[in-house]
Amino acid sequence: MALPAPSAWAAWPFGPATPKVGEDPGEAAARVLSQAIRIPTVNPPGGEKPLAKLFVDMLKDAGVEARVIDTPRNGSKEGRAAAWGRVKGNGSRRPIVLLSHLDTVPADPKGWAIAPFEGAVGAGSVVGRGALDAKGVSVVHLLTTLTIARRSEPLDRDVIFLATPDEETGGQRGAGYLVRERRSLLYDAELLLTEGGGIQVGEGGTSPVWGVTVTEKAPCWMDIVAEGTPGHSSVAPPVTAVTRLLDALERIRRLETPVAVVPEVARMFRSVAQLAPAEDRTGFRNLAVALETDADFRRRFLSKPGRAALVRNTVAITVLEGSSQTNVLPGRAHAQLDARLLPGQHCADFVEEIERTIADDSIRVEPFLAFTTSSSPVNTPLFRAIQRVASKVDPGAPVVPRVIAGFTDAHYFRDLGIVAYGFVPRWLPPSETRGIHGPNEKISIANLRKGTNTLVQILEALDQR
Ligand SMILES: [Zn+2]
């Protein structure tokens, strides 16, 4: 979808202002989001503190208990921080956390029709880095929190607003830090909603599917290091650090990891079987068996990288480094692998598999980012609340417990026993989800409005017995 000419767009013409009682949530969200995009928080280095302050000021302005929580600076000039707020419930049930993140990935303005950090608003949308991932999520959470705070009756549960720094580089200094050092901010939280799932619609805006992410694949990132004798490359020996590395990488490139269907993935495909093309329906209903016994189905299924990634460990060779000079043999060459493991698997085991594959003792395999993911159950009040609201907002739309190939900060909270779902109520066709980490990231004002109203309904539905 082409964007209109830049002249049709403008940053929101008003300064930041706390959304008013009775104000249209779409317009209020667009105004706050425009302002949030104009506060750059590209990570590294992040510099999320001014944005944390903007959100906390708005919460306080509306009378909500809120604080800026400083986190490790890690070289950022502006400082790094999380925004935290809490609307107290009547205490009869345990709290729910609305989790989002303040940092973004970079944006190269060259690929954009509209400058990525101006918070442009026009043609019914807000454009800019973070509009979807995840400043747009923070803003919907903020508006929702304000709406709950302004109710005459408290809900059963406290609603905790939490927007963290550092998600895009793994969250160790953001959600990871808060969970380790500031756990009391979560009180006794039972439930959590964050990014990583939402409502998929066809390009025509039809047949919505509500996807609630219950678990994720886990990263297992590693360095592959080869050594050799440095020297002049005019008289190179047959084996050098670089040739050793290339041999190792060639073996890794050919590695075929086994296909395995974890129960969460089997359930996910089962629950969308009735929407699948006729030829895939039987296979989706019993994925493990079909992948083993139906060669045509297996070929079709595995030819789609997005699907194949859900039934096997994957490994991509990303960083490559040898000499920095044409005529110098380096003493060391290294590569990095981005491996992604199925839920429940351990990086240490996969590192052993990589070592066996390389079969060269002189090569070092050094993991540097790894965690194991667990799953959240679906037999919970939060899943039922989402189902109830889905049946009202999108009658007939299935609510699918999903597994995603990427990862979010949800695992930090699942590890504490909190039921954490990746679910943001917004209706996106595939063309718009490509804006995540890509050019022309945008969200419609209609989505911001409907998202806020829907999230409020979900929180209210949690009170039903
Ligand atoms: Zn994100």
Side-chain angles (χ1 to χ4, degrees):
M1 208 187 322
L3 293 166
S7 60
W9 296 69
W12 198 268
F14 319 107
T18 306
K20 309 267 178 315
V21 178
E23 190 180 0
D24 168 60
E27 298 222 342
R31 184 181 69 237
V32 179
L33 179 56
S34 171
Q35 180 68 22
I37 289 168
R38 275 178 278 159
I39 301 173
T41 52
V42 175
N43 180 19
E48 299 93 339
K49 191 165 179 177
L51 182 56
K53 196 167 174 311
L54 177 82
F55 289 152
V56 165
D57 285 349
M58 287 181 178
L59 289 166
K60 281 183 174 165
D61 202 34
V64 176
E65 174 190 6
R67 299 209 299 268
V68 172
I69 311 293
D70 285 310
T71 57
R73 288 186 84 90
N74 188 230
S76 99
K77 199 165 78 252
E78 296 83 2
R80 308 193 76 175
W84 175 92
R86 177 174 67 144
V87 178
K88 286 192 95 162
N90 64 25
S92 63
R93 299 190 206 199
R94 292 163 60 200
I96 178 166
V97 180
L98 303 178
L99 173 73
S100 61
H101 63 89
L102 302 168
D103 60 321
T104 69
V105 294
D108 179 355
K110 261 186 265 156
W112 290 64
I114 311 248
F117 296 105
E118 283 181 11
V121 182
S125 290
V126 185
V127 178
R129 178 56 83 225
L132 294 168
D133 182 17
K135 291 175 181 180
V137 181
S138 303
V139 167
V140 165
H141 288 179
L142 181 91
L143 268 283
T144 299
T145 305
L146 294 179
T147 307
I148 298 299
R150 288 164 174 163
R151 280 169 55 101
S152 50
E153 282 283 300
L155 294 178
D156 286 352
R157 300 171 189 270
D158 292 5
V159 174
I160 297 171
F161 172 92
L162 182 60
T164 61
D166 201 46
E167 192 273 343
E168 295 291 355
T169 52
Q172 278 296 337
R173 297 183 182 86
Y177 170 83
L178 296 170
V179 158
R180 281 193 311 273
E181 310 287 336
R182 305 297 302 272
R183 194 170 304 177
S184 61
L185 294 171
L186 301 172
Y187 293 87
D188 188 25
E190 177 186 12
L191 309 170
L192 179 144
L193 282 174
T194 188
E195 63 181 357
I199 302 153
Q200 297 175 329
V201 294
E203 287 297 343
T206 50
S207 60
V209 175
W210 289 42
V212 178
T213 299
V214 297
T215 190
E216 306 171 348
K217 286 182 83 182
C220 172
W221 292 358
M222 62 194 100
D223 267 311
I224 307 290
V225 183
E227 274 165 17
T229 313
H232 200 294
S233 48
S234 61
V235 285
V239 176
T240 68
V242 171
T243 65
R244 273 197 187 110
L245 181 67
L246 290 178
D247 284 344
L249 295 180
E250 181 57 18
R251 290 208 171 93
I252 291 164
R253 192 172 75 84
R254 290 171 185 280
L255 173 68
E256 262 204 47
T257 52
V259 168
V261 180
V262 299
E264 293 87 346
V265 169
R267 180 177 60 195
M268 168 178 165
F269 282 94
R270 214 164 42 233
S271 43
V272 293
Q274 82 276 15
L275 307 169
E279 54 176 6
D280 285 338
R281 251 169 242 163
T282 313
F284 277 23
R285 288 206 178 96
N286 204 338
L287 189 61
V289 171
L291 285 172
E292 219 171 273
T293 58
D294 181 341
D296 281 344
F297 176 80
R298 182 187 168 98
R299 200 167 30 249
R300 264 200 317 279
F301 189 90
L302 296 180
S303 71
K304 299 207 166 81
R307 284 181 186 168
L310 295 179
V311 294
R312 60 176 10 151
N313 297 334
T314 59
V315 51
I317 303 164
T318 51
V319 173
L320 259 186
E321 202 174 45
S323 178
S324 57
Q325 290 252 129
T326 309
N327 59 351
V328 173
L329 291 171
R332 181 179 181 277
H334 90 112
Q336 283 181 355
L337 305 184
D338 177 358
R340 302 294 177 110
L341 309 185
L342 292 170
Q345 298 211 12
H346 298 277
C347 188
D349 297 334
F350 194 71
V351 166
E352 274 180 27
E353 188 176 340
I354 291 291
E355 284 170 340
R356 274 197 304 277
T357 303
I358 294 173
D360 178 347
D361 289 345
S362 73
I363 295 211
R364 295 201 308 278
V365 180
E366 298 168 348
F368 61 88
L369 175 74
F371 54 79
T372 303
T373 53
S374 54
S375 295
S376 287
V378 294
N379 181 20
T380 69
L382 183 52
F383 201 88
R384 286 189 289 276
I386 294 171
Q387 282 175 317
R388 268 201 293 273
V389 173
S391 71
K392 271 189 246 145
V393 177
D394 277 330
V399 181
V400 176
R402 283 185 65 195
V403 180
I404 56 170
F407 66 90
T408 69
D409 278 345
H411 67 97
Y412 291 112
F413 301 88
R414 289 196 185 110
D415 285 350
L416 300 181
I418 296 174
V419 171
Y421 293 148
F423 180 73
V424 180
R426 59 186 179 197
W427 286 253
L428 297 177
S431 62
E432 283 186 43
T433 48
R434 281 194 283 275
I436 294 174
H437 294 204
N440 303 318
E441 183 178 353
K442 66 176 171 119
I443 181 133
S444 71
I445 295 173
N447 247 327
L448 294 167
R449 177 184 300 117
K450 201 171 168 187
T452 303
N453 291 337
T454 304
L455 187 52
V456 169
Q457 285 185 58
I458 290 170
L459 296 179
E460 290 176 342
L462 276 171
D463 278 8
Q464 288 174 24
R465 317 247 150 197

